[in-house]
Amino acid sequence: MRVEGGARYKDCKVWPGGSRAWDWRETGTNHTPGVQPADLDEVLKKGVNTLVIGRGMNEVLQVPQRTIDHVKGHGVECVVLQTERAVDEYNKMASAGKKVGGVFHSTC
């Protein structure tokens, strides 16, 4: 994946004005049980109003309800989509000036 500024990532976290690689080893994330609340805290702390999660091209990456509830508990809307659709949605929101963040899995 390529983000504004030219950085390239396999999996990434993005927020207004920044991005970095999403290293699943930091939180012990795997396809199952999936995205952990701790995977999202860094992006949530950036003051986003919406968080978009890309589940991979074939939607293999799971997003447990407790993770969605964690995001909503911060008063943030959570959008979970297949990665190509998630990137499109993120770009649309960011282009409209919305405070949006995202975590994107680029493979499976």
Side-chain angles (χ1 to χ4, degrees):
M1 300 185 87
R2 188 169 31 128
V3 299
E4 187 173 298
R8 292 183 180 266
Y9 305 106
K10 176 182 169 233
D11 297 324
C12 64
K13 298 181 179 188
V14 295
W15 55 85
S19 66
R20 76 170 183 93
W22 178 15
D23 183 351
W24 291 15
R25 294 173 294 188
E26 293 173 354
T27 58
T29 295
N30 285 299
H31 290 102
T32 303
V35 181
Q36 306 298 304
D39 290 316
L40 309 177
D41 286 338
E42 178 179 12
V43 178
L44 291 171
K45 289 177 183 174
K46 303 296 183 180
V48 300
N49 296 322
T50 304
L51 179 66
V52 180
I53 301 173
R55 296 186 51 212
M57 301 311 253
N58 298 314
E59 299 183 87
V60 175
L61 178 62
Q62 301 300 299
V63 182
Q65 186 62 48
R66 70 182 180 90
T67 299
I68 294 168
D69 292 343
H70 178 75
V71 173
K72 291 180 178 179
H74 283 82
V76 173
E77 178 185 2
C78 187
V79 178
V80 179
L81 299 166
Q82 183 267 355
T83 293
E84 287 174 315
R85 291 178 42 222
V87 169
D88 287 344
E89 186 67 19
Y90 173 88
N91 286 336
K92 183 170 58 174
M93 289 184 198
S95 293
K98 296 188 178 180
K99 293 180 73 174
V100 60
V103 294
F104 302 101
H105 177 45
S106 66
T107 59
C108 48

